[in-house]
Amino acid sequence: FSEAVYSLPKITSEYPNYYLGHYLTGVVMSGLEQDEEAVSAFNRAIALNAEDFESYASLGLLYYREAEKAFDSKVAAKSVENFQKALKYNPNCNTYYYYIGLNEMLENKYDDAISNFKKAINLKSNDYNSKYYKAIAQYLNKDYKGSIDESTNLLFRRVSNYNQVLYLRALSYYKLKNYEAAIADIEKIHHNMDDIYNLDIKKFTQ
């Protein structure tokens, strides 16, 4: 990023109406965690090219990160707005629906979140992030059976966060008072001594 910091101002100075230069400036500022400068650069790019879906999406991501840190529903709404604008010009991007769903979870809009995770999955069948957070949204929405079904499908895929999915399924089984199944999943987690959830469980069971 350091080289780009020095070269991009020259580009935007010599070609001030070249939207891509401002977009790249935003990317660099975002990477340097200078969010205000990044937002300004992305907005400048959009002012020069109203169809710059990458700048809309980048703004959406910046606002999502801010909303996630502060649990701020108003900032989450700004993130959703920008991802929706990005979708207008790039409608087949599953990642945009994924982040809209994450924002809606922050807003406690679980039905809407589930709907957008489904849209992401329809666009990319192996979007395991959307499947996992869909299962979480179903759990938070008290659809424990749906969460179990989605978790089970993920477990068949041997996803990288296997133990996290097991833990989520165990919680859903517990809510349905299927204690035997919940304990069975917890015991599976115990087999992986390095897993963070296992460490938490050991503290309470020792």
Side-chain angles (χ1 to χ4, degrees):
F1 283 120
S2 57
E3 292 182 7
V5 169
Y6 292 108
S7 61
L8 283 171
K10 181 179 180 181
I11 295 173
T12 54
S13 176
E14 293 183 1
Y15 306 98
N17 295 322
Y18 183 47
Y19 83 94
L20 189 57
H22 297 284
Y23 163 71
L24 292 174
T25 299
V27 171
V28 171
M29 293 297 104
S30 178
L32 295 173
E33 298 184 354
Q34 297 183 22
D35 291 351
E36 290 186 12
E37 291 84 350
V39 168
S40 177
F42 290 134
N43 280 325
R44 178 59 180 159
I46 291 167
L48 293 168
N49 179 7
E51 298 182 6
D52 179 14
F53 58 84
E54 290 181 330
S55 287
Y56 285 124
S58 297
L59 283 171
L61 183 57
L62 281 171
Y63 288 131
Y64 168 71
R65 289 173 177 168
E66 181 182 346
E68 185 184 32
K69 291 178 183 176
F71 292 97
D72 191 325
S73 60
K74 291 183 179 179
V75 179
K78 290 173 67 175
S79 177
V80 169
E81 179 183 357
N82 277 281
F83 278 116
Q84 288 175 336
K85 288 178 180 177
L87 280 169
K88 181 178 178 181
Y89 303 108
N90 188 23
N92 295 319
C93 182
N94 65 296
T95 303
Y96 300 167
Y97 286 110
Y98 167 67
Y99 277 108
I100 290 173
L102 291 180
N103 278 294
E104 288 167 339
M105 287 181 67
L106 292 174
E107 298 176 285
N108 298 323
K109 297 178 179 178
Y110 301 124
D111 286 328
D112 291 340
I114 291 165
S115 175
N116 279 297
F117 290 135
K118 286 180 178 178
K119 291 175 182 177
I121 295 163
N122 286 338
L123 288 169
K124 185 180 179 183
S125 61
N126 64 342
D127 183 354
Y128 298 125
N129 286 329
S130 289
K131 291 185 177 185
Y132 175 57
Y133 281 98
K134 174 174 170 272
I136 294 176
Q138 288 171 314
Y139 174 83
L140 294 172
N141 208 31
K142 299 182 179 180
D143 177 12
Y144 304 122
K145 185 181 182 304
S147 184
I148 289 168
D149 290 342
E150 189 66 70
S151 298
T152 302
N153 288 333
L154 283 170
L155 292 170
F156 282 133
R157 298 291 181 178
R158 303 295 301 183
V159 288
S160 59
N161 60 337
Y162 190 86
N163 282 344
Q164 294 178 29
V165 178
L166 269 176
Y167 189 72
L168 175 62
R169 191 173 71 171
L171 291 175
S172 295
Y173 277 134
Y174 179 82
K175 289 291 186 179
L176 293 176
K177 298 183 178 181
N178 188 343
Y179 303 126
E180 184 176 345
I183 291 170
D185 278 349
I186 294 298
E187 287 177 344
K188 291 175 185 176
I189 296 171
H190 269 276
H191 291 303
N192 184 353
M193 299 302 293
D194 295 324
D195 185 82
I196 186 171
Y197 292 98
N198 178 67
L199 296 176
D200 288 341
I201 293 163
K202 285 184 68 179
K203 289 177 184 177
F204 291 105
T205 56
Q206 285 179 340

